[in-house]
Amino acid sequence: MELFPVMPLEEWRATKETLHRFAQVVGKVRLAAGVRRNHWWNAPFHVTGRGLTTRPMGQVDGNPIFTIDFDFVGHQLRVAAVDGREVSFPLYGKSVAAFYAETMRTLEELGVHVEIEIPHPFDLPDGERPFAEDVEHATYDPVMATRYWQVLSQVNLVLEEFAADFSGKISPVHHFWHTFDIACTRFSEREIDQGPETDPVTREAYSREVISTGFWFGDDSFPEPAFYSYTAPEPEGLAEEPLRPDAARWVERRGSHLAVLRYADARAAPYPRVAVLEFYESAYRAGARRAGWDAGRLACPGGVTDPVLSA
């Protein structure tokens, strides 16, 4: 199939907004039932051959081991227990309220008892409205849902390829239900003191200096899909650094700068995958230079650190 198929935000905005909230329901189950990891690595989803997965959770909290998967081929939510039992229901034809009720009922049927501490969206415009009361978001276009997963799958492998060249501390490639993006983050050892006034989600996510790369599907502030990178905290002069390919640019966003390559520009390149990798590498090099990282020491071309093979 076509690499990076067309994905205009306006064609699937209603479906995206509904799916985003579906994902937040399942993500909050994941937070409640999983083991906490540094920088919230326990929270995101991971791409599968049919959609997204929470990966296994439970056990330490007294629940059976279970997994929740979004199937964007059969358009089902599947909840499976380690004893082989599985319950599924359709993703289409449901409001967020109906999806929330069905998810919680399915968990109970499998003997999973989870209490979501804050059962409403996080950092979305309707953040004060409980999931159980959201009958507004109820659009699910199966064609666009499948394409969303296909784009995630393609970007996932590009990010895996980019991640392979770094030998330092690095996150998995994962899909955040908070911001609905897929990302991979490189870390330095430099600790960042953000102060008690910063919210605890941000303090944990950015307790170390990072250079993050990823892809998002667009939002009201940037209404089109794009590949991105940022360095946090942002070093002085970052936006003066060159980016590749020529279509990439620095964009000011919330008081800092994002390196951005529009999805449309990547699709138009002679070799889209190569263009995206070139972009990620140039943005990383920009952040590493300005922040003083030893990029040479942290490199492992081709994913190899074996001194014999890499000699």
Side-chain angles (χ1 to χ4, degrees):
M1 64 172 291
E2 178 186 11
L3 181 64
F4 303 148
V6 64
M7 199 73 195
L9 176 61
E10 288 310 315
E11 284 192 19
W12 78 300
R13 181 186 288 270
T15 292
K16 176 179 177 287
E17 290 178 353
T18 301
L19 268 181
H20 195 166
R21 287 156 181 81
F22 285 3
Q24 290 218 358
V25 170
V26 175
K28 291 202 170 193
V29 172
R30 173 73 171 145
L31 278 180
V35 176
R36 180 162 170 169
R37 295 283 307 280
N38 62 148
H39 311 294
W40 304 113
W41 290 359
N42 57 298
F45 302 145
H46 295 260
V47 178
T48 72
R50 293 181 68 91
L52 297 169
T53 184
T54 60
R55 298 183 299 171
M57 48 194 165
Q59 185 168 273
V60 296
D61 59 357
N63 277 308
I65 298 174
F66 70 103
T67 307
I68 304 178
D69 291 289
F70 286 92
D71 179 349
F72 293 121
V73 178
H75 304 290
Q76 302 276 317
L77 189 80
R78 302 185 185 279
V79 186
V82 74
D83 61 8
R85 292 177 299 144
E86 179 181 302
V87 181
S88 62
F89 62 84
L91 293 168
Y92 47 84
K94 285 183 173 56
S95 66
V96 171
F99 176 87
Y100 174 70
E102 190 77 354
T103 299
M104 301 311 290
R105 183 199 63 76
T106 298
L107 292 173
E108 287 289 338
E109 184 175 338
L110 291 173
V112 176
H113 306 288
V114 173
E115 183 175 346
I116 297 178
E117 184 177 352
I118 306 175
H120 52 76
F122 177 70
D123 200 25
L124 289 177
D126 57 337
E128 297 303 314
R129 176 171 54 191
F131 294 129
E133 298 177 9
D134 184 0
V135 295
E136 173 190 356
H137 297 99
T139 302
Y140 186 92
D141 180 340
V143 172
M144 295 308 293
T146 297
R147 191 175 303 172
Y148 147 73
W149 159 69
Q150 290 170 337
V151 171
L152 280 177
S153 297
Q154 294 175 350
V155 176
N156 177 76
L157 289 183
V158 175
L159 283 168
E160 289 282 3
E161 187 174 355
F162 174 70
D165 288 340
F166 186 77
S167 67
K169 177 176 176 178
I170 186 168
S171 77
V173 177
H174 42 205
H175 182 31
F176 286 97
W177 48 264
H178 163 210
T179 44
F180 218 58
D181 61 337
I182 187 168
C184 180
T185 303
R186 297 175 174 185
F187 293 78
S188 78
E189 297 178 352
R190 193 171 300 148
E191 297 184 9
I192 304 301
D193 181 10
Q194 301 171 81
E197 70 281 358
T198 304
D199 70 88
V201 174
T202 301
R203 285 202 310 271
E204 179 61 40
Y206 298 105
S207 62
R208 302 291 187 275
E209 185 179 51
V210 305
I211 301 176
S212 190
T213 53
F215 170 84
W216 86 96
F217 289 90
D219 56 27
D220 288 338
S221 62
F222 197 95
E224 60 180 312
F227 302 91
Y228 70 82
S229 178
Y230 62 86
T231 301
E234 182 175 321
E236 184 177 354
L238 178 65
E240 299 170 12
E241 290 284 333
L243 293 171
R244 296 290 302 164
D246 291 340
R249 67 185 189 276
W250 294 101
V251 173
E252 189 170 355
R253 184 179 171 93
R254 298 177 182 176
S256 58
H257 293 90
L258 275 176
V260 171
L261 175 65
R262 297 168 59 243
Y263 187 65
D265 290 329
R267 293 184 71 243
Y271 302 101
R273 175 185 140 276
V274 173
V276 174
L277 287 170
E278 182 183 27
F279 165 69
Y280 283 153
E281 182 64 22
S282 72
Y284 164 66
R285 292 284 175 174
R289 276 193 296 270
R290 291 290 178 167
W293 292 24
D294 188 346
R297 182 180 65 84
L298 293 168
C300 59
V304 177
T305 58
D306 181 341
V308 175
L309 293 179
S310 58

